[in-house]
């Protein structure tokens, strides 16, 4: 058994609908000063696009669903409206 075999999340890849970042109307921004490192956002993100180690967000795949912000117990994630594309 290697590390990948017990990794709970799949990695984001471009699917039939393209990169899911193009769906977004608002993007999550994490305030690392408030973040406790609980990793709930990483666990709940349906796109697997939050970095486990640094909580960076891959905006190419983040679809702006807001689940990460809703789950964050520290209210460290706010959704910021995207500029018109
Ligand atoms: S808004 Fe949705 S897709 Fe984007 S990082 Fe948060 S949970 Fe993941
Ligand atoms: S859910 Fe909130 S407190 Fe927990 S790791 Fe994510 S940003 Fe940090």
């Amino acid at each position: 058994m290697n590390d990948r075999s017990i990794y709970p999340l799949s990695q984001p890849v471009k699917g039939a609908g393209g990169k899911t970042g193009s769906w977004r109307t608002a993007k999550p921004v994490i305030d690392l000063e408030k973040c406790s490192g609980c990793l709930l956002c990483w666990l709940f993100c349906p796109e697997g696009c939050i970095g486990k180690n640094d909580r960076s967000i891959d905006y190419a795949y983040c679809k702006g669903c807001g689940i990460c912000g809703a789950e964050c117990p520290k209210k460290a994630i706010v959704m910021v409206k995207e500029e018109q594309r």
Side-chain angles (χ1 to χ4, degrees), residues 30-32 34-42 50 55 68 71-77:
I30 299 179
D31 181 347
L32 293 175
K34 292 183 180 175
C35 173
S36 67
C38 70
L39 293 180
L40 284 177
C41 56
W42 170 79
I50 298 179
R55 257 73 76 207
C68 53
E71 295 296 334
C72 177
K74 295 293 184 180
K75 306 292 182 215
I77 303 175

Side-chain angles (χ1 to χ4, degrees), residues 14-74:
K14 185 176 181 180
K19 289 186 175 180
T20 45
S22 65
W23 303 358
R24 201 174 56 244
T25 57
K27 69 178 181 183
V29 176
I30 299 179
D31 181 347
L32 293 175
E33 294 287 317
K34 292 183 180 175
C35 173
S36 67
C38 70
L39 293 180
L40 284 177
C41 56
W42 170 79
L43 189 63
F44 278 94
C45 174
E47 297 298 322
C49 62
I50 298 179
K52 184 178 182 184
N53 294 324
D54 61 3
R55 257 73 76 207
S56 62
I57 296 173
D58 184 346
Y59 290 114
Y61 293 99
C62 167
K63 61 187 176 188
C65 65
I67 291 173
C68 53
E71 295 296 334
C72 177
K74 295 293 184 180

